[in-house]
Amino acid sequence: MRCVFVQFRCTPGKTYEVAEAIYDREVVSELYSTSGEYDLIAKVYIPDEEDVGHYLSSKLFDIPGIQRTLTTMTFKAF
């Protein structure tokens, strides 16, 4: 499994709805609200045989209220 972090910028007033929709899909291992440019950050484990972009697009990025995302790939955990 590969770990990625995905940040979500939400339509104003829709952050809690987006967070609930993300959580309901049972794809993320952790989900937090954040300050700054993005509203939410999720830790996602991608199965090794899956393409990261396709997996995230098909599992998460079609949720209404998401304006923009930023995906950060990880390498080594310390």
Side-chain angles (χ1 to χ4, degrees):
M1 301 266 259
R2 290 171 286 170
C3 177
V4 300
F5 289 90
V6 182
Q7 295 182 76
F8 299 88
R9 182 179 301 149
C10 304
T11 302
K14 299 293 183 182
T15 301
Y16 285 94
E17 290 175 33
V18 171
E20 286 178 26
I22 291 169
Y23 184 76
D24 287 346
R25 294 197 179 186
E26 299 181 357
V27 175
V28 304
S29 66
E30 298 175 47
L31 180 64
Y32 298 94
S33 59
T34 58
S35 63
E37 203 171 323
Y38 289 85
D39 303 300
L40 301 167
I41 188 168
K43 185 177 187 180
V44 184
Y45 288 97
I46 311 290
D48 288 331
E49 66 278 1
E50 294 284 346
D51 175 78
V52 173
H54 185 268
Y55 184 86
L56 293 173
S57 293
S58 66
K59 302 286 187 184
L60 292 173
F61 294 167
D62 63 336
I63 293 172
I66 295 174
Q67 289 186 334
R68 185 177 182 146
T69 63
L70 174 66
T71 302
T72 302
M73 306 291 286
T74 62
F75 301 107
K76 179 180 170 128
F78 295 95

